[in-house]
Amino acid sequence: MQQPSKLYLVLSYILIPIALFFGFLDSILLISALANPSAMILVFAMACIVIYSFTSFKFLKLGIEREQILTSKLKDWIKVNAYVSLLMFCLIFLNAVSILLSNDATLIKFIDEFLAQQSGLPPEMNSQFVLKSLRVAAYFLFVIGAVGILHIRMTLKLVRDNAHLFE
């Protein structure tokens, strides 16, 4: 039986709060998506991240650590949601990298255009504040994307190597 690495265990525990965060955002987005059906694809994709996170954690705790036999349905849930989640985590990662690699002048230009379209913003909401906030968010999203991509890659290998745990 293939045992998970320490890194996989750490990533699994890091992924749970990320999944809870996405679940919270997804519930809010679902309400707004009822008025805008085109946003339902994002609701679906975020739900896949949540489902993947908890099914892979169940696989880790019950299948790998306790060596219990799991249903083939769980394997299917893990794999299907892993592929959609991988796409989402790659998009998150690439967006964060593009923000982090962009120079301040380019970003400030886009921020100024965005702020010009908004009305009634407080004076503290200037382009420098938004730029700093955007950079912090990009670092956060970079970590989320990297954790998700690594975890999915490791999970799919563990599922393949531990196929005997699924009936």
Side-chain angles (χ1 to χ4, degrees):
M1 176 158 94
Q2 178 74 25
Q3 288 295 320
S5 66
K6 298 270 190 228
L7 176 63
Y8 183 75
L9 293 172
V10 170
L11 292 176
S12 294
Y13 281 101
I14 291 172
L15 198 58
I16 294 299
I18 292 171
L20 292 172
F21 174 70
F22 277 115
F24 173 73
L25 288 179
D26 202 31
S27 62
I28 293 171
L29 189 60
L30 177 61
I31 294 168
S32 67
L34 295 174
N36 181 8
S38 63
M40 284 301 245
I41 191 76
L42 186 57
V43 170
F44 167 75
M46 290 175 75
C48 287
I49 291 174
V50 175
I51 293 168
Y52 163 76
S53 300
F54 287 105
T55 54
S56 66
F57 195 74
K58 182 177 182 179
F59 166 65
L60 170 66
K61 292 312 228 175
L62 298 179
I64 295 177
E65 289 182 0
R66 294 188 188 165
E67 297 185 22
Q68 291 180 0
I69 300 299
L70 304 167
T71 64
S72 60
K73 275 186 169 182
L74 181 68
K75 180 180 180 179
D76 294 339
W77 276 100
I78 291 170
K79 290 177 86 174
V80 166
N81 288 293
Y83 293 123
V84 176
S85 298
L86 183 62
L87 175 67
M88 286 299 294
F89 282 127
C90 285
L91 289 173
I92 290 168
F93 184 80
L94 290 173
N95 280 328
V97 167
S98 70
I99 291 169
L100 293 173
L101 293 179
S102 295
N103 63 14
D104 287 353
T106 305
L107 289 175
I108 286 176
K109 179 183 168 194
F110 287 115
I111 291 168
D112 286 338
E113 290 173 9
F114 173 76
L115 291 177
Q117 296 172 359
Q118 308 303 314
S119 61
L121 290 176
E124 302 85 32
M125 189 68 73
N126 59 29
S127 57
Q128 287 301 318
F129 174 77
V130 174
L131 178 64
K132 287 179 186 172
S133 301
L134 186 62
R135 293 270 187 210
V136 169
Y139 283 115
F140 180 67
L141 293 173
F142 180 85
V143 171
I144 287 176
V147 166
I149 292 167
L150 284 173
H151 191 272
I152 290 169
R153 188 167 185 264
M154 295 171 91
T155 297
L156 292 175
K157 183 178 182 336
L158 283 170
V159 166
R160 185 180 65 239
D161 292 346
N162 292 295
H164 63 279
L165 292 174
F166 298 98
E167 59 179 25

